[in-house]
């Protein structure tokens, strides 16, 4: 599984929202890497089950969203704070899931998948596993990607490692991709792409497909 030893010992677990102590720790962050796990990929049908957050100090939290919960005020405060950059891989899905399930309007977004497609034009491999393997040298274990995140039971060790890894390296990936984008004079267009992610996410929530096609 690569260099993923004892990740669970460094992870805080919460239900439905962050604790006040974690909120205060994250509020002073410059960056927050964020990911979500859901019961599936269709917004409105498949509920949000887990939110993972990691900052530049490697403070990592997994927040389990229980059935029927529709509000996470502390997480909302962080993700809507324009002073903190939120880093996702394929932000379009996560931003939509957070809005559809918890009415969160995420601001100041960086998407490593979009950045990878603009920066790494020498490859067509832009999945998180390939990206992290190439630019950071870590091989992620994605075997728990398709699993029951909505179970009322505790997460398995494999799920814990998977969930943590999906945010653990995003800030480093963002920094390296930013260097390439600026070097190749593509950073400005990347920022423009990031700014329209909430629009695409809202279209996904409403299940509009390819409306920009002829």
């Amino acid at each position: 599984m690569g260099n993923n030893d004892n990740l669970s010992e460094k992870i805080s677990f919460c239900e439905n929202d962050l604790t006040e102590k974690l909120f205060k720790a994250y509020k002073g962050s410059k960056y927050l890497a964020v990911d979500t796990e859901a019961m599936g990929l269709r917004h409105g049908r498949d509920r949000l089950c887990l939110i993972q957050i990691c900052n530049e100090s490697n403070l990592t939290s997994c927040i389990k969203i229980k059935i029927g919960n529709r509000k996470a005020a502390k997480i909302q405060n962080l993700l809507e704070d324009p002073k903190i950059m939120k880093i996702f891989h394929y932000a379009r899905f996560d931003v939509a899931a957070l809005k559809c399930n918890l009415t969160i309007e995420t601001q100041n977004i960086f998407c490593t998948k979009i950045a990878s497609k603009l920066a790494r034009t020498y490859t067509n491999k832009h999945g998180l596993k390939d990206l992290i393997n190439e630019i950071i040298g870590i091989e992620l274990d994605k075997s728990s990607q398709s699993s029951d995140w909505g179970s009322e039971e505790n997460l398995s060790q494999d799920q814990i490692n998977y969930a943590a890894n999906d945010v653990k390296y995003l800030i480093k990936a963002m920094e390296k991709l930013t260097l390439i984008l600026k070097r190749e004079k593509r950073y400005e267009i990347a920022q423009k792409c990031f700014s329209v992610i909430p629009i695409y996410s809202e279209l996904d929530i409403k299940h509009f497909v390819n409306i920009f096609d002829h």
Side-chain angles (χ1 to χ4, degrees):
M1 179 178 163
N3 303 327
N4 302 324
D5 10 330
N6 299 322
L7 285 175
S8 60
E9 296 178 10
K10 305 174 184 177
I11 301 169
S12 298
F13 290 92
C14 310
E15 284 190 355
N16 293 330
D17 205 350
L18 291 165
T19 64
E20 187 66 26
K21 182 177 180 180
L22 285 168
F23 169 72
K24 289 180 178 178
Y26 284 127
K27 191 64 175 174
S29 303
K30 184 176 181 181
Y31 305 115
L32 290 179
V34 186
D35 188 40
T36 65
E37 307 298 339
M39 286 299 296
L41 301 178
R42 186 173 176 83
H43 302 297
R45 181 194 68 182
D46 300 321
R47 68 181 177 88
L48 178 66
C49 301
L50 192 73
I51 303 171
Q52 305 100 278
I53 300 175
C54 182
N55 68 358
E56 60 266 32
S57 299
N58 204 30
L59 176 63
T60 306
S61 299
C62 289
I63 304 94
K64 193 168 188 176
I65 307 300
K66 304 196 79 174
I67 295 175
N69 186 65
R70 301 290 297 172
K71 196 71 177 173
K74 295 181 182 68
I75 295 173
Q76 183 167 9
N77 181 292
L78 293 173
L79 299 188
E80 293 184 354
D81 187 339
K83 298 186 295 297
I84 304 173
M85 178 180 283
K86 273 67 67 173
I87 303 152
F88 302 84
H89 189 78
Y90 194 50
R92 178 176 171 177
F93 177 84
D94 299 306
V95 169
L98 290 161
K99 178 172 182 174
C100 184
N101 290 269
L102 298 173
T103 65
I104 293 173
E105 303 277 357
T106 308
Q107 296 190 50
N108 193 359
I109 298 165
F110 188 105
C111 178
T112 54
K113 187 159 194 173
I114 290 174
S116 177
K117 289 182 176 182
L118 288 169
R120 299 168 64 243
T121 46
Y122 51 81
T123 181
N124 63 355
K125 294 181 178 180
H126 302 289
L128 184 62
K129 182 173 182 177
D130 290 312
L131 174 65
I132 297 304
N133 191 19
E134 183 198 320
I135 69 175
I136 298 179
I138 300 290
E139 184 175 353
L140 300 181
D141 181 356
K142 305 294 281 186
S143 60
S144 293
Q145 184 170 18
S146 296
S147 60
D148 183 7
W149 295 100
S151 173
E152 293 299 308
E153 298 178 3
N154 292 333
L155 297 178
S156 69
Q157 188 65 53
D158 287 342
Q159 285 178 310
I160 291 169
N161 290 341
Y162 171 86
N165 279 339
D166 269 6
V167 290
K168 185 176 176 65
Y169 306 105
L170 282 183
I171 294 174
K172 288 181 181 178
M174 175 275 296
E175 292 171 340
K176 295 201 172 188
L177 288 167
T178 296
L179 289 174
I180 300 173
L181 289 168
K182 289 183 175 179
R183 185 192 73 201
E184 300 302 320
K185 303 189 183 335
R186 298 171 190 166
Y187 187 67
E188 185 177 345
I189 190 66
Q191 289 181 305
K192 291 178 181 178
C193 290
F194 303 152
S195 71
V196 300
I197 287 171
I199 298 172
Y200 274 91
S201 295
E202 187 167 355
L203 289 169
D204 290 341
I205 291 170
K206 298 180 184 298
H207 305 299
F208 285 106
V209 180
N210 301 327
I211 67 166
F212 294 102
D213 288 356
H214 188 274

